[in-house]
Amino acid sequence: MRRTWGFLTVGLLFLATACSIEIEIPIRSQTTPTSSFKAATPTTPIPISPATVTDACPFIAVGELAQIIGTSAEIRAQEQPADVEGTEKRYSCLYEDIHQSPDSAPRLHITVAPEIGAGSVAAVDNTMKAFCREPVTTVGGVGDKTAHCEQGKDFTRAIVVVGKRSNGQVRLALVDLPKNRADVYEAIAKLLADRL
């Protein structure tokens, strides 16, 4: 496996909050948004795949996430510092309920890499192997490959992973959220697949 996807798997391991342990990852460099994609806000989602990804929060608007997971809580989206390693970039968004601990908040991670080496299907497979215990559920017809699983201590969390080749890149979306229903995971996956 190429170094890029190995780094992706290791990076996602550290970003996941499955065991409710906060791990600080040193930021190698910051990116400065230069495209119109930045104009999309956490309350206004992007409708289609942007040519350049500079943030994670616009991929799922706050209202959309609240509706999908079925909550009336006051959620705010907070873009986290970008993590860049060579040509691979990772963007993260924390969807925090202002009345609860950030540890329980859903998180969206978008990883963008040049389309070299392993493809989007292998990226999803490697991510699921790194994070999930059985069973892993594959969602057909969504992105190049989509899967979800429940994980963490006592299976209290879940991850949804969507891989897609888009705009000459391999894009991988990982959502880490409190355990919910399969239809919630699938709704999140379909939304992300359309926007990656």
Side-chain angles (χ1 to χ4, degrees):
M1 181 184 350
R2 286 191 171 268
R3 179 179 177 271
T4 300
W5 292 107
F7 184 79
L8 168 72
T9 301
V10 171
L12 287 175
L13 281 171
F14 286 112
L15 291 173
T17 57
C19 295
S20 298
I21 297 172
E22 284 197 32
I23 300 171
E24 288 190 31
I25 299 173
I27 304 303
R28 290 180 197 85
S29 66
Q30 298 281 335
T31 57
T32 304
T34 56
S35 74
S36 61
F37 179 51
K38 182 65 176 173
T41 66
T43 55
T44 307
I46 57 170
I48 57 170
S49 175
T52 304
V53 177
T54 59
D55 299 280
C57 289
F59 279 88
I60 301 179
V62 170
E64 289 175 317
L65 182 63
Q67 183 178 4
I68 290 170
I69 64 176
T71 184
S72 59
E74 190 175 342
I75 299 173
R76 66 178 171 203
Q78 297 179 343
E79 189 71 30
Q80 306 299 298
D83 187 16
V84 179
E85 171 70 18
T87 56
E88 185 174 291
K89 298 173 183 160
R90 280 177 298 285
Y91 305 93
S92 299
C93 185
L94 173 67
Y95 294 91
E96 184 178 16
D97 178 342
I98 64 169
H99 302 293
Q100 291 188 354
S101 165
D103 293 340
S104 63
R107 296 171 191 266
L108 168 62
H109 307 286
I110 304 287
T111 301
V112 179
E115 195 169 351
I116 56 175
S120 55
V121 171
V124 171
D125 290 341
N126 292 336
T127 302
M128 298 313 280
K129 285 177 189 172
F131 288 111
C132 297
R133 291 182 273 171
E134 295 296 330
V136 171
T137 304
T138 302
V139 181
V142 179
D144 295 337
K145 183 160 188 180
T146 299
H148 61 82
C149 71
E150 292 173 353
Q151 47 116 13
K153 193 174 187 179
D154 301 322
F155 294 100
T156 57
R157 305 246 347 142
I159 63 167
V160 179
V161 181
V162 180
K164 185 177 178 182
R165 291 176 307 281
S166 181
N167 293 291
Q169 301 169 321
V170 171
R171 295 180 177 180
L172 186 75
L174 183 149
V175 180
D176 171 15
L177 72 161
K179 182 178 177 178
N180 213 307
R181 302 178 320 271
D183 63 304
V184 168
Y185 308 146
E186 291 175 14
I188 289 171
K190 288 175 184 173
L191 191 66
L192 286 169
D194 288 342
R195 294 179 181 171
L196 280 176

